[in-house]
Amino acid sequence: MIPGLSNRRRFADLSEQEVLALAISSEEDDARIYRLYAERLRPDFPDSARLFDGMAAEEDAHRRALIDLHRSRFGEVIPLIRREHVAGFHARRPVWLTQSLGLDRIRDEAAAMERDAEAFYRKAAARTKDAATRKLLGDLATAEAGHQNSAEALAETHLDPESRQGEDRKAHRQFILTWVQPGLAGLMDGSVSTLAPIFATAFATQDTWTTFLVGLAASVGAGISMGFTEAASDDGELSGRGSPVKRGFASGLMTTLGGLGHALPYLITDFWTATVIAMIVVVIELWAIAWIQNRFMETPFFRAAFQVVLGGALVFAAGVLIGSG
């Protein structure tokens, strides 16, 4: 370590006692992370919560074994060294970044935690020239691999296929309610409701810049309105639709994007070129809405397409007629 440039130690500079202390603190941190996952999942996914309770218990068992090893080799006093004190050591997500993860992402994060730890110890063992240190690091790598095997065994115990499928269906339903429904409503509103003012302005003025400004204002205004409306309409406590902030963000963002899609072509200075491209974008938007309805809302595709295209065509025709008149 170069003084004044970093307050973190290189792993290569750690003593065997410090490596063991680092392993102990890492096991303790991982156990706490697994318990956090368990508490977060317990209300909605009790089977997965029990899985992470078991993984936390496994980490505690390895921590106790490491402490016993430290006591036999170096005594009772364990140096205070954590992963953030060591340059290049595998990091863990901050707590506030894990709180919004879904069930599948949490499972993936847990698997990555174990793989990262095992890979780090194996690379460190291969790099050292000291036989005793190499053995210690190899033992730690084996322990981390054992964690993965234990996790798989616990998953078989607590997550039988029926339980996993049930939790996956529930997670998918929550994703639909929190993100897809508000986002789809916003995309439909932004794509359809802005057709009339944009194309009315286009055909009334045949000025592409004015049309773009009207489209931009309509899209942003509609996005803000839809976002606040969605967030304020339901706090999600009784309906189970999830965070109002997430739903408001999804609705507002998609509303804005839906309007901007056919407003942006009017940055092109040639009126008819911009208008033809905007019309093509409208067709793509409407068919995308129909596809999303079919994919996530299980609405028959042709029925969804007919409803969306018919509604969009009527609004588009109204805008053209008003602008041309």
Side-chain angles (χ1 to χ4, degrees):
M1 181 180 69
I2 302 176
L5 294 182
S6 174
N7 59 358
R8 295 195 297 172
R9 296 276 301 278
R10 293 188 307 161
F11 187 83
D13 295 334
L14 299 180
S15 66
E16 292 184 25
Q17 182 182 16
E18 288 172 331
V19 169
L20 192 55
L22 177 61
I24 291 170
S25 66
S26 297
E27 298 287 355
E28 181 180 5
D29 289 346
D30 288 352
R32 295 172 67 181
I33 291 173
Y34 289 143
R35 287 194 172 89
L36 177 66
Y37 287 162
E39 287 305 304
R40 183 184 180 283
L41 295 173
R42 205 177 309 281
D44 297 322
F45 307 106
D47 292 315
S48 285
R50 286 195 290 272
L51 166 65
F52 285 109
D53 284 334
M55 292 178 69
E58 288 286 333
E59 299 293 324
D60 287 339
H62 287 291
R63 177 177 54 84
R64 288 192 294 269
L66 289 166
I67 290 175
D68 290 340
L69 178 59
H70 183 279
R71 182 182 293 114
S72 65
R73 295 192 61 189
F74 305 109
E76 296 288 339
V77 180
I78 301 175
L80 177 59
I81 180 169
R82 309 181 72 85
R83 55 170 52 93
E84 60 267 25
H85 300 156
V86 180
F89 199 77
H90 55 274
R92 297 290 184 248
R93 283 176 175 265
V95 172
W96 53 88
L97 293 182
T98 64
Q99 291 176 344
S100 60
L101 296 181
L103 178 59
D104 288 338
R105 285 294 305 280
I106 287 178
R107 290 173 181 167
D108 292 342
E109 283 288 319
M113 286 168 60
E114 302 297 349
R115 287 195 301 269
D116 289 345
E118 178 189 3
F120 181 86
Y121 285 131
R122 291 202 183 280
K123 290 179 181 178
R127 191 168 60 241
T128 185
K129 297 180 179 179
D130 180 76
T133 304
R134 184 186 296 251
K135 180 180 183 304
L136 175 61
L137 294 174
D139 290 343
L140 292 173
T142 302
E144 293 298 337
H147 290 182
Q148 297 181 50
N149 296 332
S150 297
E152 293 174 0
L154 288 167
E156 293 177 358
T157 301
H158 296 297
L159 286 178
D160 56 83
E162 184 176 352
S163 297
R164 181 182 289 272
Q165 290 176 4
E167 290 194 348
D168 288 344
R169 284 194 300 268
K170 190 170 185 178
H172 179 70
R173 179 177 180 274
Q174 190 64 57
F175 171 74
I176 296 293
L177 292 175
T178 303
W179 293 105
V180 177
Q181 277 189 351
L184 178 61
L187 183 60
M188 293 176 65
D189 183 84
S191 298
V192 176
S193 68
T194 58
L195 288 175
I198 289 176
F199 286 101
T201 303
F203 281 90
T205 66
Q206 295 199 3
D207 185 310
T208 57
W209 179 248
T210 300
T211 303
F212 169 72
L213 291 179
V214 170
L216 178 63
S219 302
V220 173
I224 294 173
S225 176
M226 283 290 289
F228 275 100
T229 299
E230 177 63 39
S233 64
D234 180 9
D235 63 7
E237 292 294 329
L238 295 179
S239 65
R241 296 180 64 216
S243 166
V245 175
K246 293 179 181 178
R247 290 186 287 105
F249 176 79
S251 180
L253 177 63
M254 296 307 293
T255 301
T256 302
L257 292 178
L260 284 178
H262 44 271
L264 289 174
Y266 283 98
L267 288 172
I268 300 173
T269 56
D270 183 76
F271 171 75
W272 285 110
T273 301
T275 300
V276 170
I277 294 176
M279 290 179 179
I280 295 173
V281 171
V282 169
V283 173
I284 295 173
E285 289 173 347
L286 296 180
W287 280 98
I289 292 171
W291 181 85
I292 293 172
Q293 285 185 313
N294 173 257
R295 172 66 176 81
F296 293 100
M297 312 304 294
E298 299 183 357
T299 303
F301 180 79
F302 289 105
R303 188 177 80 182
F306 176 76
Q307 293 172 343
V308 173
V309 173
L310 177 62
L314 291 175
V315 176
F316 171 79
V320 172
L321 288 173
I322 293 172
S324 300

